[in-house]
Amino acid sequence: MDLQTAEVKMNELRSQLTEYGYQYHVLDKPSVPDSEYDRLMLELVELEGKYPELKTSDSPTERVGGSVLDLFEKVEHSAPMLSLGNAFNEQDLRDFDRRIRQVVGDDFSYVCELKIDGLAVSLRYVDGLFVQGATRGDGTIGEDITANLKTIKSIPLRLRETVSLEVRGEAYMPKRSFEALNKAKAEREEEPFANPRNAAAGSLRQLDPKIASSRNLDVFLYGIGDVGKIKVDSHSEGLDYLDQLGFKTNKERRKCVTIEEVIQYVNSWVEKRPNLPYEIDGIVIKVDLLHQQEELGRTAKSPRWAIAYKFPAEEVITTLLDIELSIGRTGVLTPTAILEPVKVAGTTVQRASLHNEDLIREKDIKIGDKVVVKKAGDIIPEVVNVIADQRTGAEVDFHMPTHCPECESELVRLEGEVALRCINPKCPAQIREGLIHFVSRDAMNIDGLGEKVVSQLFAEKLIVDVADIYKLSSEQLLGLERMGEKSVTNLLTAIESSKANSLEKLLFGLGIRHVGAKAAKTLAQAFGSILKLATANKEELLAINEIGEKMADSIVTFFDQEEVQALIEELKTAGVNMEYKGVMPSTALESDSLFAGKTIVLTGKLEQLTRNEAKEGIEALGGNVSGSVSKKTDLVIAGIEAGSKLTKAEQLGIEVWDEERLLSELNK
Ligand code: IVH
């Protein structure tokens, strides 16, 4: 086949496949058998293999998931991605209606839509071609997840008109895909996703697009970001226009003139909701005409012309089989209800915290009771109440123990607290929980040291305090259950790189009473080193904004303990960093830096910094870190074993630095 014939054939295959894909994934009306689609796809793949120069960015073969990224680039949205105010009942809806009427008068209508429970995405098209997809992020800046979004087959790679626009919608995981995914995870003994929303978010936050590609995600578009540029007068016309361009919008939308009609629509979905193939968590109500939307305006966070009605949390009945006790790192004893497994709001619930004894008395909970369970905020399982009239007489009262179930010391109830506490500082449960806290994400963030591994290490007495973590050897780790060579190497690397963490992570990890992650950062910034903090007196601590009496006392008491001083000494000897490394709020001299406004790519293995530290350092000096080398790249930092990115940088004549040079610039 000559080049020209190939080009004609490839164009034909692409448009055929795109059309069939559209009919299948957007219209939900397959027009050819799967085998035919697969045959055409194979033909295109083969031709693209032979003539790579003829491959285009909108080719359906692009959807299989390209190469693995190093990180997600940041993307600034063309207009902020706002959130919505909430309505929880009819009264809230009527109040919303009244506020609208006060501004625009009586002549307006609403569009009601399903509130899809997934995550917001923005898709940017230039001249009809999909060029970039992003997460919402903080509303102003999101992350570039183009490669993952391309794997969603209902997202068109080329529109039916050569327009440039940014559209917004909700990416989600259909219920069936969610169930299949969790089943597969269970078979591999992996932690299941809590709900389809988390599963969708987790899939789109993977650096390897092949994972997103295997997850069967879908999308509904519900708006145009820069709608001013498009010739439509209303939101509903905008949605029709999106249909026309080839996007998938949700067909259950309805125009309503009165708030009574809105309420009827809302109520109808309370009943129909379980039959939908995807999760919804409410109904979004929007004023239709764009000029009225403009007149209504917005608050800092959300538009005044729209509101989200949130469905009441689903409640189900199950049996409370037992009450289990656990001890947290501060010694608090928490009772947990063990439930007959039951499905609530999409996932199986078998435990719910009962918080403390007072709550058990207040709700008159007995073991064996039939109880009503819901998920607060649709996430955290909660026992709402017991169904007392279904008692058989076999139910048993529950009493909190007088002694710690782990170390048997007497439990105390501190003045003004409802919680029972074990105050034995040597209580193994507290120590274990403290260790788990030390390695957790917001603390030292040691990947691979999860709850189970820490518990094992602790049970085997391989770690007794946090300093022991830094003395672990590969022989010791290899002796643990389910620890192969590879996981051991990874774990030791993660432990090693945690030594370089900035001070706030260590401070938070040490678990000083009342010092949360935010306070740890404030302290780290204010004192700069653990030595200065440890020797600070109460007055010096109180002089810092955000540090109150209780925290100041707790910090002084903490560092006064000899064991704590010895522990810090040990950590220091092990090489754990004790200084603040982040940006000082007033000393970031962004514009003076060599990195200001530059696009920088990191590649290869860095030896002294973690990827994240390098990235944070560059960003703190005003640079942007990007995942791929292109003509727009200003500088490439190449570590050891840098591969294709380095080659490409050299081909493009881009400046290349080594890690040493990066370090000296960061340290300036
Ligand atoms: S409109 C300015 N419509 O709900 C209005 N949002 O806080 C922007 N969502 O994260 C939102 N379905 O991603 C709109 N039909 C729908 C929606 C919807 C789901 C999500 C959205 C946002 C949240 C609202």
Side-chain angles (χ1 to χ4, degrees):
M1 202 184 288
D2 64 31
L3 202 66
Q4 213 175 357
T5 327
E7 187 166 12
V8 172
K9 183 69 194 164
M10 284 163 81
N11 277 338
E12 185 190 312
L13 284 168
R14 264 197 303 270
S15 56
Q16 261 177 316
L17 283 162
T18 302
E19 182 57 27
Y20 294 153
Y22 171 73
Q23 285 159 354
Y24 187 101
H25 296 286
V26 178
L27 301 183
D28 209 5
K29 284 195 193 106
S31 54
V32 290
D34 289 359
S35 56
E36 173 66 2
Y37 183 90
D38 295 344
R39 191 183 63 77
L40 297 173
M41 183 64 105
L42 196 67
E43 207 178 328
L44 181 57
V45 169
E46 277 171 7
L47 283 170
E48 285 181 349
K50 266 196 216 141
Y51 305 97
E53 67 275 28
L54 296 180
K55 195 172 154 138
T56 59
S57 70
D58 65 336
S59 169
T61 58
E62 283 282 288
R63 296 197 188 273
V64 291
S67 49
V68 182
L69 307 175
D70 291 331
L71 49 90
F72 295 118
E73 265 184 77
K74 297 265 183 280
V75 176
E76 187 163 348
H77 300 303
S78 64
M81 289 182 80
L82 301 176
S83 59
L84 294 171
N86 290 327
F88 295 101
N89 49 46
E90 289 188 11
Q91 191 53 48
D92 291 347
L93 288 175
R94 287 184 213 284
D95 291 345
F96 169 69
D97 184 62
R98 195 169 25 77
R99 292 196 297 272
I100 306 278
R101 260 164 226 288
Q102 279 167 358
V103 178
V104 302
D106 293 332
D107 193 11
F108 70 94
S109 51
Y110 293 114
V111 178
C112 295
E113 293 166 15
L114 304 186
K115 186 170 184 298
I116 314 297
D117 199 8
L119 73 155
V121 293
S122 128
L123 312 177
R124 204 156 60 78
Y125 289 79
V126 173
D127 297 334
L129 276 185
F130 177 46
V131 293
Q132 190 172 59
T135 59
R136 176 176 183 276
D138 64 3
T140 308
I141 292 175
E143 286 184 318
D144 185 332
I145 52 164
T146 315
N148 284 337
L149 288 172
K150 273 191 170 178
T151 69
I152 301 182
K153 301 202 181 66
S154 54
I155 293 182
L157 300 179
R158 177 191 285 279
L159 302 178
R160 301 178 160 229
E161 291 176 23
T162 49
V163 280
S164 298
L165 84 173
E166 190 207 330
V167 293
R168 283 154 186 200
E170 197 82 352
Y172 66 94
M173 185 176 285
K175 287 178 189 168
R176 274 181 60 180
S177 317
F178 172 70
E179 276 153 24
L181 172 62
N182 266 358
K183 194 162 161 248
K185 278 190 158 266
E187 276 159 17
R188 293 195 301 265
E189 294 189 31
E190 288 172 14
E191 194 73 18
F193 281 113
N195 51 46
R197 177 176 3 112
N198 289 1
S203 306
L204 288 176
R205 295 210 76 269
Q206 297 283 342
L207 289 165
D208 181 358
K210 295 235 167 25
I211 299 180
S213 164
S214 71
R215 296 276 170 91
N216 289 317
L217 300 170
D218 210 333
V219 72
F220 282 121
L221 282 314
Y222 55 63
I224 301 173
D226 38 8
V227 68
K229 287 196 337 208
I230 310 294
K231 281 203 190 69
V232 289
D233 294 324
S234 65
H235 174 67
S236 50
E237 274 176 37
L239 292 178
D240 293 344
Y241 181 55
L242 291 184
D243 283 333
Q244 207 178 304
L245 290 176
F247 287 110
K248 181 165 176 175
T249 64
N250 191 285
K251 297 300 170 300
E252 309 294 354
R253 60 180 180 265
R254 184 82 21 93
K255 230 173 165 162
C256 293
V257 176
T258 64
I259 198 69
E260 294 311 319
E261 277 177 69
V262 170
I263 292 170
Q264 234 175 33
Y265 178 87
V266 165
N267 288 336
S268 76
W269 279 106
V270 173
E271 275 163 45
K272 290 188 283 183
R273 176 185 180 197
N275 307 329
L276 282 169
Y278 44 84
E279 292 283 353
I280 60 172
D281 59 341
I283 302 292
V284 183
I285 300 121
K286 305 173 180 173
V287 170
D288 195 23
L289 284 176
L290 297 185
H291 78 85
Q292 291 179 331
Q293 290 188 356
E294 232 164 88
E295 212 178 322
L296 286 154
R298 49 173 268 200
T299 66
K301 279 201 286 188
S302 49
R304 289 204 180 84
W305 46 265
I307 199 161
Y309 173 86
K310 289 287 193 71
F311 291 131
E314 185 191 348
E315 296 191 343
V316 298
I317 297 172
T318 189
T319 308
L320 189 148
L321 303 172
D322 199 1
I323 294 178
E324 227 177 63
L325 295 165
S326 62
I327 299 181
R329 83 185 144 90
T330 58
V332 172
L333 200 64
T334 307
T336 300
I338 307 300
L339 306 164
E340 174 93 53
V342 64
K343 203 137 188 207
V344 194
T347 60
T348 304
V349 166
Q350 38 197 344
R351 302 167 69 83
S353 174
L354 296 171
H355 304 287
N356 53 58
E357 191 169 17
D358 285 11
L359 189 123
I360 297 176
R361 296 282 153 268
E362 229 167 77
K363 295 195 172 170
D364 184 29
I365 293 171
K366 296 179 198 278
I367 295 170
D369 266 336
K370 285 262 178 285
V371 291
V372 176
V373 174
K374 73 166 183 186
K375 280 204 221 142
D378 263 356
I379 299 176
I380 303 157
E382 177 186 316
V383 173
V384 183
N385 56 271
V386 302
I387 309 178
D389 60 10
Q390 284 196 23
R391 280 188 177 149
T392 61
E395 296 75 16
V396 187
D397 273 332
F398 171 80
H399 295 284
M400 289 292 256
T402 52
H403 290 77
C404 173
E406 189 103 9
C407 71
E408 290 172 11
S409 33
E410 196 170 354
L411 296 169
V412 297
R413 200 166 179 159
L414 299 182
E415 213 182 290
E417 284 192 1
V418 281
L420 270 183
R421 269 179 206 278
C422 166
I423 51 166
N424 169 16
K426 301 234 154 60
C427 171
Q430 287 178 54
I431 297 173
R432 185 181 59 234
E433 294 303 312
L435 290 165
I436 293 172
H437 170 76
F438 184 81
V439 300
S440 66
R441 169 123 28 131
D442 287 337
M444 296 300 270
N445 191 18
I446 305 183
D447 253 3
L449 258 192
E451 247 182 87
K452 283 196 189 130
V453 182
V454 173
S455 301
Q456 261 193 78
L457 288 167
F458 183 69
E460 311 258 338
K461 300 206 167 49
L462 293 174
I463 51 175
V464 176
D465 64 27
V466 298
D468 294 335
I469 294 172
Y470 295 98
K471 297 176 196 150
L472 286 169
S473 68
S474 53
E475 291 74 43
Q476 288 173 322
L477 291 168
L478 278 168
L480 299 182
E481 274 169 47
R482 294 222 227 144
M483 273 288 201
E485 296 260 355
K486 181 122 194 272
S487 359
V488 168
T489 316
N490 288 345
L491 179 51
L492 287 173
T493 314
I495 293 176
E496 189 57 31
S497 55
S498 78
K499 290 183 185 170
N501 283 342
S502 181
L503 174 61
E504 66 276 19
K505 299 201 87 119
L506 173 65
L507 278 184
F508 179 57
L510 288 173
I512 310 168
R513 284 285 291 281
H514 308 301
V515 177
K518 193 157 170 273
K521 184 144 190 193
T522 308
L523 291 166
Q525 280 176 343
F527 290 91
S529 78
I530 208 160
L531 194 74
K532 292 215 182 90
L533 174 65
T535 49
N537 60 30
K538 189 170 169 185
E539 284 63 44
E540 286 167 298
L541 286 161
L542 285 173
I544 298 163
N545 252 345
E546 299 167 52
I547 308 293
E549 285 271 337
K550 221 157 111 179
M551 211 193 298
D553 281 335
S554 161
I555 293 166
V556 173
T557 317
F558 181 80
F559 286 108
D560 266 351
Q561 300 171 77
E562 260 169 43
E563 306 89 276
V564 168
Q565 290 160 11
L567 182 70
I568 290 171
E569 225 18 76
E570 259 191 278
L571 287 169
K572 209 189 284 172
T573 315
V576 174
N577 167 59
M578 308 257 155
E579 315 266 313
Y580 180 59
K581 288 184 169 180
V583 192
M584 290 297 180
S586 54
T587 53
L589 294 170
E590 287 191 9
S591 52
D592 285 347
S593 145
L594 257 180
F595 297 151
K598 297 276 167 64
T599 300
I600 297 159
V601 174
L602 295 165
T603 181
K605 247 189 266 162
L606 300 180
E607 289 175 299
Q608 303 184 51
L609 292 172
T610 65
R611 262 298 155 102
N612 219 15
E613 282 162 4
K615 178 168 176 278
E616 278 173 6
I618 292 169
E619 285 171 350
L621 293 172
N624 297 310
V625 175
S626 151
S628 57
V629 176
S630 74
K631 273 186 280 181
K632 289 192 203 130
T633 310
D634 297 300
L635 173 66
V636 169
I637 314 282
I640 44 178
E641 292 166 26
S644 63
K645 287 184 192 174
L646 178 58
T647 320
K648 189 157 174 200
E650 281 162 354
Q651 280 165 358
L652 292 170
I654 295 166
E655 193 177 357
V656 178
W657 285 13
D658 61 11
E659 186 180 4
E660 231 21 75
R661 179 115 188 251
L662 169 68
L663 276 169
S664 75
E665 184 62 26
L666 292 179
N667 290 335
K668 259 186 196 166

